[in-house]
């Protein structure tokens, strides 16, 4: 049986995650406890924070997950039907993700080359 890859929520890590969380809060009329927000990596992490704000009866609502998925995907265009608790919040395609994967040696070499160019320009004039 072939397993399909998880679809990320599609956030870019450039501030859109704040807007997505705000969308969840507006949809459910709650304020999430953001004290653990720095450790939220998956849709399930945010969903757990949402569940903690809801009355017990609403936490068990079978439609809760889909309502949440629609809310958190509202700004990204990701398909909420493909979002699962393990789905990453950040898109693997985002520029920030790609920049983080560049080895530090490449950053150092790029910075050194830039410094040489600036120094040469200053010497010339």
């Amino acid at each position: 049986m072939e397993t399909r890859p998880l679809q990320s929520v599609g956030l870019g890590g450039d501030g859109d995650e704040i807007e997505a969380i705000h969308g969840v809060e507006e949809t459910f009329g709650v304020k999430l406890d953001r004290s653990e927000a720095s450790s939220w990596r998956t849709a399930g992490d945010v969903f757990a924070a949402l569940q903690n704000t809801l009355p017990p009866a609403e936490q068990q609502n079978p439609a809760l997950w889909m309502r949440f998925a629609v809310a958190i995907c509202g700004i990204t265009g990701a398909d909420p039907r493909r979002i699962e608790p393990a789905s990453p919040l950040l898109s693997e395609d985002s520029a920030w993700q790609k920049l983080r994967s560049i080895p530090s040696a490449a950053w150092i070499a790029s910075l050194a080359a830039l410094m040489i160019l600036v120094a040469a320009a200053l010497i010339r004039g």
Side-chain angles (χ1 to χ4, degrees), residues 55-70:
E58 196 171 339
Q59 291 176 12
Q60 304 308 316
N61 183 337
L64 183 63
W65 174 261
M66 183 50 65
R67 192 171 162 212
F68 163 78
V70 168

Side-chain angles (χ1 to χ4, degrees), residues 69-90:
V70 168
I72 200 154
C73 293
I75 66 164
T76 65
D79 183 352
R81 296 169 298 181
R82 293 193 53 216
I83 300 300
E84 300 174 8
S87 294
L89 292 172
L90 296 178

Side-chain angles (χ1 to χ4, degrees), residues 36-104:
E36 300 291 322
S38 64
S39 66
W40 294 346
R41 301 284 181 258
T42 67
D45 295 336
V46 181
F47 185 69
L50 170 64
Q51 285 182 303
N52 289 335
T53 68
L54 298 173
E58 196 171 339
Q59 291 176 12
Q60 304 308 316
N61 183 337
L64 183 63
W65 174 261
M66 183 50 65
R67 192 171 162 212
F68 163 78
V70 168
I72 200 154
C73 293
I75 66 164
T76 65
D79 183 352
R81 296 169 298 181
R82 293 193 53 216
I83 300 300
E84 300 174 8
S87 294
L89 292 172
L90 296 178
S91 170
E92 294 297 319
D93 296 336
S94 78
W96 295 114
Q97 293 287 90
K98 291 177 183 171
L99 287 176
R100 278 196 290 181
S101 69
I102 297 173
S104 57

Side-chain angles (χ1 to χ4, degrees), residues 18-51:
I18 295 168
E19 191 175 340
I21 298 304
H22 185 67
V24 169
E25 291 173 333
E26 282 186 354
T27 297
F28 290 92
V30 299
K31 188 76 172 157
L32 298 181
D33 177 5
R34 298 181 187 195
S35 63
E36 300 291 322
S38 64
S39 66
W40 294 346
R41 301 284 181 258
T42 67
D45 295 336
V46 181
F47 185 69
L50 170 64
Q51 285 182 303

